[in-house]
Amino acid sequence: MSSTIANREHGALWGLVDDLLGRQRLILASNRGPMEFHTGPNGELQHRRGSGGIVTALSGLTNYVDFTWIASAMGEGDRRASEEQGGKAVRSPVAGQQVSVRFVTTPRRAYHKYYNIICNPLLWFLQHYMWSSPYTPRVDAVVYDAWDTGYRLVNREFANAIVDEARGSSLRPLVMVHDYHLYLVPGMVREQLPEARIHHFLHIPWPASSYWQLLPGMIRTAICDSLCQADIVGFQAQRDVRAFLESCETFLEDVQIDYREHVVRYRGRETRVRAYPISIDVDEIRQIATSPRAAEYEERVGAELGKQTIVRVDRAEPSKNIVRGFQAYEVLLEQHPELCGNVRFLAFLVPSRTHIRQYQRYAEEIDAAVRHVNDRFGTAEWQPVRVFYENNYVQAVAGMRLYDVLLVNAVIDGMNLVAKEGPVVNTKHGVLVLSESAGAYEQLKVGALPVAPADIEGTARALYQALSMPAEERAERSRLMIESIEREDITHWLQRQLEDVKALPG
Ligand code: F6P
């Protein structure tokens, strides 16, 4: 096996990788890759680590095994780097990443239809229950066209790249596909590589079949049909597993569902459907949190704290429920005027999907909500809310070290890794106020204060309870959460999936 040992600590995972990937060729595919190129001031190619949850979750795998990661060329830099390699994989220049990245380059117009019309908003909004069904979505000819000449086309290009990589090796391919961008890839790869092991993991929730029925039958059937060409389909939570099995039963013909064993039998194949709650690399985030760079940010962020501080860290994204969070804070200040001047709310928000109308509008709504609270309660000496609006992970980690209360009130979330990162880096036994519909709630309810995402009054009360909680209770709640996160960190997530791949028959 062409592997590089960077971390032998996690012996069990190492053994598994050694055993499994000595006999199989790992090819991983996700829309965003582990790194991206951009053009520097003198026209030279510069690189940086890719952003987002998938990269955070899977970068650790590069410590164990050297593999090919197939990803979309996101910008001109990626396109240039890919062209310079004649379309073949590029060795990642990012320190610590032992991986080759093969960029899938598709026509800009096709990528726009795939990403900005089908993936986000259509699928993302559907899967986070964000459509207002009497009015939206409007599935018109533009969407039909984007499905055919955007989504299908990009998925086809990914499948072709995977097949090409697989054929370059004599080992049996193990193809791990990630997320809703690539639903059609398992079916397209299966047509060409019948013997491949195919694993598809979905990072976002899978809604009830009645909600999927908002979409045309050909879309939902194509998605289920393709996913059932994988050997394993992984989800974040048991709720998603159940909903997927039910969707297959509703949308596919001649299908058998085993609800006890969580298996779908379809077109002569068996697909195992499993929950693998994703987690974080505890060691890595602790290293980042205690790095000199984080210390610099900590000093800067420290200057912004109140006597007590509420923090949130999110992409500027409607499913994160940011506006309701500020509305709850407003209710808190209204009901407890003694907190004015003493409690601050620091929001670390990352610009996201800024070409999409719904995201632009949501960013404006966030802005208006912040202005409203600051105008209503702010004084010359004290501004209740401070927003850091930039993609600066280390600064956000510094913020997480310093909170008294971390607010995660997502409408619904596959998992929400901020809810896991916060407790392990925080230095104050801060309290986590957590949406019951975040996937992370299942694990963190041992220590978190629950909120229903639409419940502004309840969120205000939970914030107050968190701010006034006795020190011993805070310490105990954070101890329980940290213990659980350390026990089931990212290594555990990877290991469980590889064990299931290893246990596949044939
Ligand atoms: O799974 C959800 C996800 O794809 C995460 O990996 C990532 O954090 C987020 O969505 C960002 O999405 P995008 O790649 O569209 O910025």
Side-chain angles (χ1 to χ4, degrees):
M1 179 177 62
S2 59
S3 57
T4 311
I5 310 168
N7 181 351
R8 277 189 180 270
E9 271 171 39
H10 303 293
L13 179 59
W14 175 256
L16 194 59
V17 167
D18 216 9
D19 181 28
L20 192 65
L21 299 178
R23 291 175 285 116
Q24 301 189 34
R25 164 90 200 279
L26 174 61
I27 302 167
L28 200 142
S30 66
N31 182 53
R32 245 178 227 281
M35 44 88 52
E36 50 196 48
F37 289 101
H38 54 101
T39 307
N42 304 318
E44 78 287 11
L45 270 185
Q46 296 184 340
H47 60 268
R48 60 175 167 239
R49 194 175 187 268
S51 62
I54 294 182
V55 174
T56 309
L58 291 164
S59 289
L61 193 57
T62 67
N63 291 334
Y64 293 90
V65 58
D66 196 334
F67 61 95
T68 303
W69 190 323
I70 300 185
S72 283
M74 306 294 293
E76 292 315 308
D78 292 347
R79 284 174 188 272
R80 231 181 91 193
S82 174
E83 259 165 42
E84 284 174 12
Q85 294 293 320
K88 292 288 174 198
V90 182
R91 199 74 196 140
S92 170
V94 174
Q97 284 188 355
Q98 316 290 336
V99 70
S100 301
V101 183
R102 174 162 173 165
F103 290 112
V104 172
T105 306
T106 43
R108 287 170 188 78
R109 188 85 202 122
Y111 189 81
H112 163 78
K113 292 176 186 177
Y114 151 88
Y115 187 81
N116 292 329
I117 299 180
I118 301 296
C119 296
N120 320 292
L122 193 75
L123 295 173
W124 179 276
F125 269 54
L126 182 99
Q127 297 197 232
H128 291 84
Y129 290 97
M130 292 200 298
W131 289 119
S132 170
S133 42
Y135 309 104
T136 57
R138 266 179 50 88
V139 179
D140 53 14
V142 173
V143 176
Y144 271 68
D145 169 65
W147 175 259
D148 283 332
T149 64
Y151 193 79
R152 268 186 190 287
L153 184 147
V154 174
N155 274 250
R156 174 64 67 197
E157 290 301 320
F158 264 86
N160 291 344
I162 290 168
V163 171
D164 189 49
E165 285 294 323
R167 291 198 171 137
S169 160
S170 57
L171 298 176
R172 184 180 195 178
L174 167 57
V175 182
M176 299 184 92
V177 187
H178 282 263
D179 237 353
Y180 58 102
H181 311 88
L182 303 177
Y183 280 141
L184 304 183
V185 165
M188 291 170 171
V189 170
R190 179 65 71 207
E191 280 164 13
Q192 301 182 70
L193 300 175
E195 79 294 356
R197 292 290 194 211
I198 305 179
H199 180 286
H200 192 114
F201 184 81
L202 186 63
H203 293 251
I204 66 175
W206 186 274
S209 46
S210 50
Y211 204 58
W212 275 105
Q213 273 163 336
L214 284 172
L215 296 189
M218 60 95 182
I219 292 185
R220 53 184 201 242
T221 305
I223 291 173
C224 290
D225 179 274
S226 168
L227 287 175
C228 290
Q229 293 306 304
D231 298 287
I232 299 178
V233 181
F235 291 94
Q236 297 278 24
Q238 285 300 343
R239 68 174 179 202
D240 307 315
V241 168
R242 282 193 298 273
F244 178 70
L245 292 173
E246 209 192 283
S247 295
C248 291
E249 183 164 35
T250 314
F251 303 142
L252 298 178
E253 281 178 12
D254 298 323
V255 68
Q256 274 185 340
I257 313 289
D258 183 335
Y259 281 98
R260 219 167 52 93
E261 296 295 324
H262 296 169
V263 172
V264 181
R265 295 192 178 85
Y266 178 63
R267 288 172 54 193
R269 304 198 61 81
E270 280 196 356
T271 302
R272 287 156 175 70
V273 186
R274 299 282 178 266
Y276 305 105
I278 202 166
S279 195
I280 56 168
D281 186 331
V282 172
D283 295 341
E284 190 190 29
I285 190 161
R286 282 194 173 132
Q287 267 170 29
I288 295 173
T290 51
S291 65
R293 244 185 104 213
E296 271 172 40
Y297 281 117
E298 213 175 307
E299 214 174 297
R300 260 186 256 173
V301 173
E304 301 283 347
L305 299 181
K307 284 202 183 104
Q308 286 185 296
T309 305
I310 301 168
V311 165
R312 78 173 305 141
V313 178
D314 284 300
R315 283 185 302 110
E317 150 73 54
S319 70
K320 304 293 181 188
N321 211 14
I322 297 162
V323 170
R324 280 208 196 87
F326 290 131
Q327 289 167 347
Y329 179 55
E330 182 182 1
V331 172
L332 174 79
L333 296 179
E334 197 174 87
Q335 293 177 348
H336 299 280
E338 74 281 6
L339 298 181
C340 292
N342 292 319
V343 172
R344 278 203 99 190
F345 192 147
L346 305 186
F348 298 86
L349 304 181
V350 179
S352 183
R353 303 175 185 163
T354 47
H355 290 99
I356 301 174
R357 200 181 60 246
Q358 286 91 332
Y359 286 75
Q360 293 161 358
R361 210 179 299 140
Y362 196 66
E364 286 164 17
E365 283 167 17
I366 292 173
D367 221 40
V370 171
R371 246 182 296 115
H372 174 73
V373 180
N374 281 345
D375 288 349
R376 181 166 172 204
F377 295 101
T379 61
E381 296 78 42
W382 175 73
Q383 284 292 289
V385 183
R386 162 84 156 94
V387 175
F388 297 79
Y389 188 59
E390 59 189 297
N391 187 358
N392 186 337
Y393 182 64
V394 182
Q395 176 173 269
V397 170
M400 286 194 275
R401 275 172 75 76
L402 299 172
Y403 68 77
D404 295 281
V405 180
L406 179 66
L407 178 60
V408 179
N409 63 323
V411 174
I412 185 168
D413 218 327
M415 179 54 57
N416 196 296
L417 295 180
V418 170
K420 296 189 175 184
E421 289 171 335
V424 300
V425 301
N426 184 255
T427 55
K428 295 170 147 186
H429 293 149
V431 182
L432 173 64
V433 173
L434 180 59
S435 166
E436 290 163 301
S437 22
Y441 182 71
E442 200 42 46
Q443 185 182 354
L444 300 180
K445 63 184 173 199
V446 284
L449 294 183
V451 284
D455 185 3
I456 293 170
E457 176 67 25
T459 305
R461 289 181 191 186
L463 290 174
Y464 186 70
Q465 187 188 345
L467 289 166
S468 45
M469 190 178 281
E472 314 76 67
E473 186 181 344
R474 290 165 67 112
E476 178 58 7
R477 282 175 180 270
S478 65
R479 186 186 67 76
L480 289 169
M481 289 191 290
I482 293 168
E483 247 177 45
S484 159
I485 299 164
E486 282 173 344
R487 200 172 43 241
E488 292 183 11
D489 82 344
I490 194 66
T491 313
H492 177 82
W493 176 73
L494 281 171
Q495 192 179 323
R496 283 198 48 227
Q497 293 176 80
L498 294 178
E499 273 165 5
D500 285 355
V501 170
K502 193 176 166 200
L504 284 169

